[in-house]
Amino acid sequence: MAYADHSEASSRTVSIIIVALIHAVLGYAFVTGLGMKYVKKAAEQLDVFEVKEEPPPPAAPPPPPPKPAEVPPPPVVAPPKIVETPAPAAPVINTVPKPVPIPIPSPAPPPPPRAVEKAKPRGNPGNWVTSDDYPSRALREERSGVTGFRLDVDANGRVSNCTITKSSGHSDLDSEACRLLSRRARFRPAVGANGENMTDSFSSRIVWRIPD
C-alpha cells in the first residue's frame, strides 16, 4: 500500500514537470519570433472574401384608405300638427263714467252804486256838433244819417269814452261824432248816495242833415 502511493506521487510530479517545460518552450518561441512566423503563415492561408450586405426588402405599399362609413339617412319625421288655438276674447272693461263736476257759479258782482243825481250836460248839447262840423266829403256826396252814442263820464265831469250805439250808415260821420263829443262835451258829475262824485253815462243822438 505504501509503495503504490509512492508510485502515484512520482507520476504526478513528472507530469507537472513536463507541462511546465512545454509552456516554457512555447513562451520562448513567441518571444524569439518563431511564433509570429507561424501566425503570419496561418493568416496567409486564410481566404479573404468580401461580405456583401443584402439589399433591404422593398417597402410595403401603403394600406388603402378606409372606406367612409355609410351614414344611414335621417329618419323621416312627420311635421307636428298645427293646432289652432282660438284667440282669447278681449276682456270687457266696464268703465264707470266719472262724475262731471258741476261748476259752481261765481258770485255776481255787487251792483254798481246808483247815482242819486245823474250827470248833467253843461251848456246846450246842441252846440257840441253843428252843421259847420259836417265832413266835407260827406257833404259833397250829400250823405246824411243819425248817429246814436253813449258817453262815459268820469267823476270830474269829463268824457272818458265814446261808444256808437246806432250807426248812421257812414263810418266817417260816426267817427267824426265821437271825436267832437269827446273834445266838447262837459258835464256836472253824478253824485252818489254818500254825497261824493261818481262815474256815470250819458246817451243821445246826432242828426246829420245837409244844411239848406
Side-chain angles (χ1 to χ4, degrees):
M1 184 68 179
Y3 177 79
D5 291 338
H6 180 74
S7 297
E8 185 178 355
S10 298
S11 317
R12 185 178 301 172
T13 302
V14 172
S15 298
I16 291 171
I17 293 170
I18 293 172
V19 171
L21 291 173
I22 292 173
H23 280 83
V25 172
L26 289 175
Y28 178 77
F30 277 104
V31 171
T32 56
L34 293 176
M36 291 298 298
K37 179 180 179 180
Y38 290 106
V39 170
K40 290 181 180 180
K41 187 176 182 179
E44 290 176 357
Q45 292 178 358
L46 293 177
D47 294 332
V48 180
F49 61 92
E50 183 180 359
V51 179
K52 294 183 179 180
E53 295 182 359
E54 296 182 358
K67 294 183 179 180
E70 295 183 359
V71 180
V76 178
V77 180
K81 294 182 179 180
I82 299 174
V83 180
E84 295 183 358
T85 56
V92 179
I93 301 174
N94 296 324
T95 57
V96 179
K98 294 182 179 180
V100 179
I102 299 174
I104 300 175
S106 58
R114 297 183 62 181
V116 177
E117 186 178 348
K118 299 286 290 181
K120 294 178 182 180
R122 289 182 176 179
N124 184 9
N127 295 330
W128 292 345
V129 180
T130 65
S131 59
D132 295 337
D133 299 318
Y134 216 108
S136 58
R137 182 175 179 180
L139 188 60
R140 288 194 307 269
E141 294 175 358
E142 297 182 350
R143 290 187 282 108
S144 60
V146 178
T147 300
F149 64 88
R150 185 183 69 246
L151 300 177
D152 295 333
V153 182
D154 61 15
N156 294 322
R158 293 183 177 276
V159 177
S160 59
N161 189 36
C162 176
T163 304
I164 300 299
T165 58
K166 182 181 181 297
S167 175
S168 64
H170 307 286
S171 60
D172 55 345
L173 296 178
D174 296 338
S175 61
E176 184 67 12
C178 267
R179 186 183 71 82
L180 295 172
L181 291 169
S182 298
R183 288 178 56 189
R184 297 175 180 174
R186 293 293 182 270
F187 292 87
R188 291 187 180 93
V191 178
N194 56 1
E196 295 182 357
N197 295 345
M198 60 177 294
T199 60
D200 199 3
S201 63
F202 176 84
S203 298
S204 184
R205 62 181 184 170
I206 294 176
V207 178
W208 296 97
R209 184 183 295 115
I210 298 175
D212 296 335

